[in-house]
Amino acid sequence: MDQVISLTLKVWRQNGPDDAGAFQTYQAEGISQDASFLEMLDIVNERLIEEGTEPITFESDCREGICGTCGLMINGKAHGPELGTATCQLHMRKFNDGDHITIEPWRAVSFPVIKDLAVERTPLDLIIEAGGYISVPTGSAPDANLTPVPKEAADMAFDAAACIGCGACVAACPNSAAQLFTSAKLNHLNLLPQGQAERWQRAENMVETMEMYFGTCTNHGECHEACPKEISLDFIAFMNRDYVKAKIKNRKLAGQR
Amino acid sequence: MAQTLSRSGRGPQPLRPRKKQLPFPLNIYQTAIGRKWVMALTGIGLLGFVVAHMIGNLHVYEGPARMAEYAETLRTLGGGLVPRGTILWILRLGLIAMFGLHIHSAYSLKEISRKASPKAGFVGGAKQYSGGQDFIAANFASRTMRWTGPIILLYLLYHIADLTWGWWLGDDFVHGDPYHNLSESLSSLPVAIIYIVANVALAVHIFHGAWSMFQSLGINNPKYNKARVAIAAGLAGLILVGNLSFPILTQAGLIDEDNRECAVEDFDDEHDILICLEEQLEEEG
Amino acid sequence: MIGSLDSNTPEGDIQGLWEQHKFDMKLVNPNNKRKFTVIVVGTGLAGASAAASMAELGYNVKAFTFHDSPRRAHSIAAQGGINAAKNYQNDGDSVYRLFYDTVKGGDYRSRESNVHRLAEVSVNIIDQATAQGVPFARDYGGLLDNRSFGGAQVSRTFYARGQTGQQLLLGAYSALMRQVDAGTVELHTRSEMLDLVTENDRAVGIITRDVLTGEITSHGAHAVVLATGGYGNVYYLSTNAMMCNATAAWRAHRKGALFANPCYTQIHPTCIPASDEFQSKLTLMSESLRNDGRIWVPKAFDDERPARDIPEGERDYYLERKYPAFGNLVPRDVASRNAKTVVDEGRGVGPLKNGVYLDFSDAIARDGEDTIRAKYGNLFQMYERITGEDPYKVPMRIYPATHYTMGGLWVDYHLMSNLPGLFVIGEANFSDHGANRLGASALMQGLADGYFVLPYTIGNFLADKLAEPVPDTAGVAFVEANQGVQQQIDHWLNVNGTKSVDYYHRELGKLVWNYIGMARNKNGLEKAISEITALEEEFRANVRVLGSADGLNQSLEKVQRVADFFELGRLMARDALTREESCGGHFREESQTEEGEALRDDDNYSHAAAWEWTGEGNEPIRHIEELQFDYVALTQRSYK
């Protein structure tokens, strides 16, 4: 530990959404292995500013692996080489002196590059907007212990709810599909008793919004490997099941009206 | 409901605007997940066909007479209730429909993905990172579905032209004597290689397809998920071994016409060959 | 203003006060609510819950966040839990006890009426969140589970693994998105508020900058709600997210809103110590770890041995030794100060001698590794990722870090600042935590304000303004504010200095941490004021901001935040200097007991100090709000 390493960085630079963009090479000398990956970029940026070069734009916020703001393609892997880890939690002790590191933004047509390594991920919010909620106006909730939730269901819902919305699944997917994100969000609510009333409507709306913006799933499983919260592919299967069921159920429900 | 977020003009435009819904159940096919279902369901059907076809062809190891009898059985399915060949044609039409849907859903799904993925060319179809992408979970089978699929289709057309229509065997082709046709065709090394390559592709396709099918249909229980991979691998292996045995054993000389009772060159008329084969069968009892 | 500020707390017995007041407040007819436009700045727990709740009521809500999505607000990072007086554990909890604990935990520097209301609505928050699908921890019977937390002797903390904040925020965010879908909330993402617009000392709108395009826009409304979080990043190194800042609150302060108790900052005891100069932030480890972990340092000075080689007899479990009743569960300020004491003595551990041990070996021996893994697995994993050490085998190293700021814009009982029409909720206001916040109370306060307090009190303010149109953004006040923002931006881009914004932020952080950190004294605070001023002058003359204003420019965003931190840092020092007592997170070395514990001076300082901006370079004016304690008896806090 506490070792100092030097790296060669190949970083994607793109001055605005309409710029073509290209890789630039930078030397990162004397980086402590205790530094996080983003701190390494901070140091590079500070040196760039001293040289009079505009710093590399990349997004990050909490740097605790929970807000989902950060996300870089590092050496061809979303969030870098360590599994189950967001970029901000990746530390330089995972790299060796003299390494060449290629850093690229997330790629998907619905994640347009804003600048350098920053991308826009609005469609993920649109999927939530389409139905990623339980309709319970403030004040109308019954006592929290009124409906016991079996621990297994609660735990499984939680596994889905752990999604931080970083978009790594879309970035890693060769098809740019958002199945893992959508299924995590959908199943978080669909697995809980509270979410049953709107279950089928939710499945239809969220999936169809997803399909407006993203590619289709071919079950590669790359998304799961890239996911910093290690969300399971099982949720995608559950979503596929719920969606077709929803098409049938919603028709029936509509008939009852 | 209207989306105020998207109305704000922030963020990208939809790649696939929502279309007007067709009547149920066609509306399911309008969606990508619905198409995955169709692909999975037709996949099951086609897989069933491939397995049955492979098992049926094992009759070849019982000799020309049994093989011919098997072929005749297929034609006379349904007994005397329906004209000869009817059921077979219904099955064939079903197969063609399944192929059609399987191919259309695969193609159209890939097109959606291609539109969603930067720098995804028509060839390959997957999105490209300028700095390259390092795959972790995606395996050879999953990433080559797009290649193994067309290979299988081309092979299928070749296979039908070769052993159903006898395009290349010409005068040597005997209607109703599949044993003869098969051994004639597969004894040529280039043909055997085509069959071997195509069937390896088929097995690879089935390996990912069978596993993927469970996911697409939402057949998932964390307790039994390991079995899904085992089933896929088993099916792929079974078909690989069965189907490869034909060209390999033909090349090895196990399937040949040397000791045939009803040798094809002894007859002038195709019909007489079949009669001979029938008589042989009766003798064997 | 002369005399005490008026908190507008209604008269009456505290137990029924809020209920009665809800009846007394004026209402807006459901059909008339749509005639009012309300701006909510910030979409964390407080902002998202407020925006969603007000939209449900029928108000026109415009919500602003500088993030790409409301879900990224830093509320998301809260780990431990949320308090509520549900008494599901049957261990003697009650609204009154939560109220009492919070006032006591805040070292008797909070407003009783606000705290009691907070305790009352705490139970509704749990109901609301559960109904929204927040997956709180449950026991095998399917009912909600609780854990205990520092500063309390009952189990009242609801939690969702180590990510209670994320789950609660996802709940509030989903409620917000539901309203966005319904068209009742206009959500403006990537829009940073850079000024408050006032007309005749009333808040009428805000000026925002679109961080992607650089476009500067004016927005008018009948009321403006700030839910913009705390100012912990003034320390540079803190557990706050990189983008957390005080700019919205500070610009409101410059427009006349009083800033109360800026010196009350909370230093959280269980963070991972910094490893080097370029550390960008500190990571908090949930306080819940103190339930099972034991804190110790070697008895000997400069003990170089690895932790496992130090025999039991040579370890000093200093919290258990000094506070036998609460042990490792003393409130945060006490735990932090004691860690500082032992580290300052030279008994710190780790390569930089800047931490204390948090040891789980006894808990693992008692409950088994699996139980500990189930409880804290994700925290242990996070620790290992950051430090490269396995906490199942070697004790964790922890050290205090800035975590939360109790101070903030002054608000009355209605959560309205002294500027009519400007409401402040969540961490951005000063109201509920006094001089120290108890664990698991921040989430509670943010959601209480947003779901259950503001939606009522804002109606009272708006009820008599039916005839008023939405303020016209073509008005003089808007145009001037808009131009002011533009000039500021042009100014920063034209300094063309030599050093980065981060450099100055780091240097400022060191000053604030050293002089206005865990222990403060007159001499240091005076130095702080002069040194901050000197550094600020250099900063203004020598900072380098590259790039342009018409696109994403992170340096440009940062420079304005840091500029505000300079002014705020100075106000913190001034506030700390004038408060010549120790209370909660504010420890004046001149005011301590013989045993070195914080010593309050209730005779002279039982008040909130609210500062008025008087222009750049001028001394701010200190107003006070006398605090009355009619229910909780003032005692010297003791956790022995």
Side-chain angles (χ1 to χ4, degrees):
Chain A
M1 222 154 293
D2 234 353
Q3 232 173 327
V4 171
I5 56 174
S6 294
L7 308 149
T8 306
L9 307 180
K10 209 173 115 191
V11 182
W12 185 263
R13 300 298 307 259
Q14 181 175 338
N15 194 17
D18 302 322
D19 186 36
F23 281 112
Q24 295 277 328
T25 305
Y26 302 98
Q27 298 300 323
E29 313 274 344
I31 303 293
S32 158
Q33 283 198 311
D34 280 333
S36 73
F37 194 85
L38 297 181
E39 282 162 5
M40 182 271 290
L41 287 178
D42 287 341
I43 295 170
V44 171
N45 270 346
E46 204 143 334
R47 292 175 190 165
L48 287 178
I49 294 171
E50 272 171 34
E51 287 171 16
T53 311
E54 251 199 88
I56 303 161
T57 300
F58 64 92
E59 291 196 281
S60 79
D61 199 23
C62 78
R63 299 210 176 179
E64 295 179 20
I66 194 77
C67 73
T69 309
C70 66
L72 302 173
M73 203 72 180
I74 301 166
N75 283 340
K77 284 188 176 141
H79 285 309
E82 200 180 1
L83 296 185
T85 306
T87 305
C88 62
Q89 296 270 282
L90 177 66
H91 278 66
M92 294 315 290
R93 63 180 75 90
K94 300 285 167 190
F95 295 89
N96 299 311
D97 194 33
D99 276 359
H100 287 248
I101 304 177
T102 306
I103 310 171
E104 217 179 322
W106 287 164
R107 299 273 184 208
V109 171
S110 290
F111 284 0
V113 174
I114 302 165
K115 192 176 184 181
D116 297 344
L117 303 171
V119 300
E120 188 68 294
R121 287 166 285 195
T122 312
L124 298 184
D125 285 308
L126 298 178
I127 294 172
I128 302 297
E129 191 191 316
Y133 46 75
I134 291 172
S135 296
V136 47
T138 304
S140 57
D143 185 88
N145 259 350
L146 189 69
T147 314
V149 181
K151 192 168 167 34
E152 292 71 20
D155 284 351
M156 199 166 208
F158 199 109
D159 289 341
C163 168
I164 59 172
C166 63
C169 44
V170 179
C173 178
N175 302 313
S176 312
Q179 243 79 0
L180 195 64
F181 169 83
T182 313
S183 67
K185 293 297 177 190
L186 179 69
N187 281 294
H188 160 208
L189 303 176
N190 278 8
L191 289 165
L192 290 170
Q194 302 94 298
Q196 295 311 304
E198 292 165 295
R199 178 174 186 170
W200 309 113
Q201 207 57 53
R202 179 183 304 121
E204 233 185 302
N205 290 340
M206 288 179 76
V207 166
E208 282 168 20
T209 305
M210 168 187 83
E211 291 187 353
M212 286 163 71
Y213 293 92
F214 295 102
T216 64
C217 178
T218 52
N219 300 319
H220 286 297
E222 279 301 315
C223 49
H224 168 69
E225 302 297 330
C227 178
K229 294 292 159 189
E230 300 179 304
I231 308 276
S232 166
L233 294 178
D234 297 348
F235 294 120
I236 297 183
F238 298 161
M239 175 173 76
N240 290 342
R241 187 165 65 198
D242 268 16
Y243 177 68
V244 172
K245 256 193 189 172
K247 278 285 183 202
I248 298 163
K249 295 248 183 193
N250 285 336
R251 192 167 157 267
K252 216 165 136 193
L253 292 173
Q256 286 165 1
R257 274 198 287 272
Chain B
M1 195 54 219
Q3 302 191 329
T4 52
L5 241 188
S6 48
R7 232 192 282 133
S8 74
R10 174 75 85 207
Q13 290 305 304
L15 304 168
R16 251 179 108 223
R18 219 177 275 201
K19 291 196 193 101
K20 195 176 174 295
Q21 288 223 354
L22 294 173
F24 181 85
L26 290 177
N27 60 348
I28 295 179
Y29 194 70
Q30 282 181 298
T31 69
I33 288 185
R35 272 178 210 182
K36 287 297 284 188
W37 271 66
V38 170
M39 210 195 315
L41 292 172
T42 53
I44 292 174
L46 294 171
L47 185 59
F49 161 72
V50 169
V51 171
H53 185 63
M54 187 273 287
I55 291 172
N57 283 350
L58 291 175
H59 284 293
V60 80
Y61 296 115
E62 294 179 309
R66 288 278 174 204
M67 190 65 192
E69 184 199 20
Y70 164 63
E72 184 61 17
T73 314
L74 291 179
R75 278 184 209 99
T76 52
L77 277 176
L81 287 173
V82 288
R84 182 182 147 88
T86 310
I87 300 283
L88 185 62
W89 266 108
I90 290 172
L91 288 174
R92 278 174 175 161
L93 288 175
L95 274 176
I96 291 168
M98 283 198 279
F99 267 114
L101 283 171
H102 197 77
I103 292 165
H104 179 258
S105 53
Y107 173 78
S108 58
L109 286 171
K110 198 72 213 177
E111 278 302 292
I112 296 171
S113 293
R114 212 163 57 80
K115 278 188 199 143
S117 307
K119 291 203 249 169
F122 187 76
V123 173
K127 92 170 131 211
Q128 303 290 314
Y129 276 91
S130 307
Q133 189 176 357
D134 191 1
F135 292 108
I136 308 168
N139 54 28
F140 179 76
S142 71
R143 277 160 50 207
T144 53
M145 293 301 272
R146 189 174 163 74
W147 292 112
T148 50
I151 289 174
I152 293 162
L153 177 66
L154 289 176
Y155 158 72
L156 185 72
L157 297 173
Y158 171 83
H159 183 55
I160 293 170
D162 179 27
L163 291 180
T164 307
W165 300 330
W167 281 13
W168 289 279
L169 290 176
D171 289 344
D172 215 6
F173 184 81
V174 181
H175 281 282
D177 187 355
Y179 185 98
H180 166 78
N181 298 335
L182 184 133
S183 70
E184 279 294 297
S185 180
L186 288 183
S187 57
S188 147
L189 186 63
V191 175
I193 289 172
I194 290 175
Y195 274 80
I196 290 171
V197 169
N199 277 294
V200 169
L202 178 65
V204 169
H205 196 82
I206 285 172
F207 173 68
H208 181 73
W211 178 83
S212 187
M213 173 186 90
F214 288 109
Q215 277 291 103
S216 298
L217 296 178
I219 301 170
N220 182 306
N221 185 327
K223 233 172 152 181
Y224 305 113
N225 281 349
K226 275 196 184 128
R228 301 188 307 177
V229 182
I231 290 172
L235 277 170
L238 182 76
I239 284 157
L240 187 71
V241 171
N243 277 353
L244 284 191
S245 74
F246 305 118
I248 290 174
L249 293 182
T250 311
Q251 284 290 319
L254 215 82
I255 301 171
D256 67 12
E257 310 232 83
D258 291 354
N259 303 315
R260 214 175 132 139
E261 282 179 31
C262 309
V264 173
E265 57 268 27
D266 297 346
F267 300 90
D268 291 333
D269 190 348
E270 278 189 359
H271 194 63
D272 296 336
I273 304 174
L274 299 184
I275 293 172
C276 172
L277 287 171
E278 257 177 57
E279 284 169 357
Q280 183 192 338
L281 212 56
E282 274 167 30
E283 276 169 37
E284 285 171 12
Chain C
M1 262 174 273
I2 309 278
S4 176
L5 290 164
D6 184 3
S7 70
N8 290 318
T9 302
E11 296 289 320
D13 183 74
I14 203 164
Q15 306 243 23
L17 197 63
W18 175 236
E19 273 308 312
Q20 181 60 39
H21 193 59
K22 278 198 281 188
F23 178 76
D24 293 339
M25 279 188 293
K26 284 171 278 186
L27 294 174
V28 181
N29 174 320
N31 292 327
N32 283 335
K33 287 200 177 89
R34 71 173 73 102
K35 293 176 186 160
F36 291 112
T37 298
V38 180
I39 282 175
V40 180
V41 186
T43 53
L45 276 184
S49 58
S53 302
M54 289 191 293
E56 284 162 7
L57 289 173
Y59 295 110
N60 268 319
V61 178
K62 290 168 108 180
F64 294 82
T65 170
F66 61 51
H67 284 107
D68 63 326
S69 162
R71 65 143 283 128
R72 312 229 187 266
H74 199 54
S75 311
I76 202 122
Q79 298 170 354
I82 175 166
N83 287 331
K86 278 284 195 187
N87 193 28
Y88 281 158
Q89 304 305 322
N90 196 28
D91 56 0
D93 197 12
S94 63
V95 166
Y96 200 80
R97 187 176 295 281
L98 176 54
F99 156 68
Y100 182 92
D101 285 352
T102 308
V103 173
K104 180 185 172 200
D107 218 355
Y108 310 99
R109 289 294 174 263
S110 47
R111 193 187 288 149
E112 275 190 335
S113 55
N114 283 47
V115 177
H116 195 275
R117 177 177 65 190
L118 174 69
E120 280 174 59
V121 301
S122 68
V123 296
N124 305 358
I125 296 170
I126 301 303
D127 298 342
Q128 183 66 27
T130 303
Q132 283 169 345
V134 171
F136 284 122
R138 288 175 186 270
D139 56 28
Y140 283 95
L143 301 178
L144 294 168
D145 195 17
N146 293 112
R147 57 163 65 139
S148 60
F149 238 71
Q153 286 176 311
V154 292
S155 282
R156 63 158 77 97
T157 304
F158 294 79
Y159 63 101
R161 290 191 199 161
Q163 40 177 276
T164 317
Q166 145 141 302
Q167 296 310 328
L168 286 168
L169 180 58
L170 290 180
Y173 158 66
S174 68
L176 174 65
M177 292 312 273
R178 185 168 83 96
Q179 295 308 311
V180 171
D181 191 29
T184 51
V185 173
E186 199 178 293
L187 180 61
H188 298 256
T189 57
R190 303 242 195 215
S191 299
E192 180 167 19
M193 168 178 161
L194 289 179
D195 208 355
L196 178 78
V197 184
T198 54
E199 271 170 10
N200 306 323
D201 277 337
R202 179 175 152 199
V204 291
I206 60 170
I207 308 292
T208 60
R209 175 175 182 269
D210 183 320
V211 299
L212 294 192
T213 64
E215 195 188 343
I216 294 168
T217 319
S218 305
H219 303 270
H222 293 94
V224 174
V225 180
L226 296 187
T228 51
Y231 50 89
N233 264 352
V234 66
Y235 289 91
Y236 184 70
L237 276 184
S238 77
T239 67
N240 282 11
M242 303 304 288
M243 301 208 283
C244 288
N245 66 79
T247 288
W250 192 255
R251 304 279 163 104
H253 172 59
R254 289 176 60 122
K255 283 291 173 83
L258 301 180
F259 206 108
N261 300 335
C263 77
Y264 292 163
T265 56
Q266 182 168 74
I267 316 287
H268 193 287
T270 52
C271 301
I272 301 174
S275 61
D276 61 23
E277 161 92 352
F278 282 98
Q279 183 122 4
S280 58
K281 73 157 280 168
L282 295 170
T283 301
L284 177 131
M285 306 293 295
S286 168
E287 191 174 17
S288 61
L289 290 168
R290 287 201 276 148
N291 277 323
D292 283 303
R294 298 179 68 196
I295 294 172
W296 63 276
V297 290
K299 279 186 179 160
F301 297 95
D302 292 320
D303 196 330
E304 298 283 349
R305 288 174 294 180
R308 286 284 171 261
D309 295 347
I310 300 175
E312 200 62 31
E314 294 176 39
R315 300 176 178 187
D316 180 12
Y317 295 92
Y318 57 89
L319 288 179
E320 295 172 23
R321 173 170 58 80
K322 287 165 80 174
Y323 310 97
F326 279 70
N328 292 303
L329 287 177
V330 290
R332 291 176 171 177
D333 54 334
V334 180
S336 293
R337 220 157 29 240
N338 278 281
K340 178 181 159 61
T341 307
V342 294
V343 169
D344 287 351
E345 281 169 9
R347 294 197 286 156
V349 300
L352 301 180
K353 300 226 163 285
N354 61 349
V356 299
Y357 286 128
L358 177 62
D359 196 338
F360 283 86
S361 51
D362 287 345
I364 291 173
R366 182 183 68 228
D367 299 336
E369 194 172 312
D370 289 343
T371 311
I372 296 299
R373 193 182 299 275
K375 270 189 182 165
Y376 309 113
N378 54 342
L379 294 170
F380 278 35
Q381 199 186 8
M382 181 166 90
Y383 180 85
E384 185 173 359
R385 229 174 251 151
I386 292 170
T387 62
E389 293 173 0
D390 179 4
Y392 294 101
K393 299 206 171 66
V394 295
M396 288 182 178
R397 287 176 292 117
I398 55 165
Y399 196 63
T402 307
H403 171 59
Y404 187 87
T405 52
M406 283 74 67
L409 292 178
W410 183 87
V411 290
D412 66 6
Y413 187 70
H414 296 108
L415 302 181
M416 187 164 82
S417 71
N418 58 309
L419 297 179
L422 178 69
F423 292 79
V424 189
I425 59 176
E427 190 180 348
N429 74 23
F430 90 113
S431 67
D432 295 352
H433 304 298
N436 175 53
R437 179 175 66 76
L438 287 182
S441 284
L443 300 179
M444 173 172 71
Q445 186 225 338
L447 290 177
D449 289 358
Y451 282 135
F452 297 110
V453 180
L454 182 74
Y456 293 94
T457 59
I458 204 164
N460 188 51
F461 169 77
L462 293 171
D464 57 8
K465 296 177 177 58
L466 257 180
E468 296 179 15
V470 179
D472 181 7
T473 54
V476 182
F478 279 96
V479 173
E480 275 176 8
N482 196 315
Q483 283 168 351
V485 167
Q486 188 66 58
Q487 281 161 7
Q488 281 279 319
I489 289 170
D490 295 342
H491 164 75
W492 291 117
L493 285 171
N494 288 317
V495 178
N496 287 326
T498 60
K499 292 208 169 89
S500 72
V501 181
D502 281 345
Y503 167 81
Y504 286 107
H505 192 183
R506 222 167 20 237
E507 293 302 312
L508 170 67
K510 282 180 201 161
L511 292 179
V512 181
W513 178 249
N514 289 336
Y515 295 128
I516 329 172
M518 278 184 279
R520 298 129 186 213
N521 60 53
K522 183 164 186 288
N523 190 16
L525 291 166
E526 282 168 350
K527 260 196 201 154
I529 295 175
S530 65
E531 288 182 25
I532 289 174
T533 306
L535 186 66
E536 186 184 6
E537 271 167 28
E538 192 198 320
F539 163 73
R540 289 186 180 276
N542 195 37
V543 72
R544 172 180 280 181
V545 181
L546 299 166
S548 71
D550 52 5
L552 183 57
N553 187 339
Q554 294 172 324
S555 303
L556 179 62
E557 291 167 34
K558 265 190 275 188
V559 76
Q560 308 191 64
R561 296 169 193 164
V562 173
D564 291 339
F565 279 144
F566 271 105
E567 292 174 352
L568 174 58
R570 211 168 26 231
L571 187 67
M572 281 169 70
R574 226 178 277 277
D575 187 42
L577 193 60
T578 47
R579 187 170 284 281
E580 293 175 342
E581 63 156 354
S582 295
C583 59
H586 171 63
F587 186 77
R588 278 291 293 265
E589 287 168 355
E590 297 92 337
S591 178
Q592 50 182 310
T593 63
E594 283 171 12
E595 296 155 309
E597 299 295 333
L599 182 65
R600 280 200 329 270
D601 178 358
D602 292 330
D603 294 337
N604 294 310
Y605 291 99
S606 181
H607 59 242
W611 296 84
E612 182 187 343
W613 174 263
T614 51
E616 263 169 54
N618 296 341
E619 294 268 320
I621 299 170
R622 187 177 193 264
H623 299 274
I624 57 167
E625 178 198 335
E626 287 296 344
L627 298 170
Q628 280 191 24
F629 293 90
D630 299 328
Y631 299 90
V632 182
L634 292 175
T635 54
Q636 198 64 33
R637 272 191 325 168
S638 170
Y639 290 94
K640 300 232 171 211

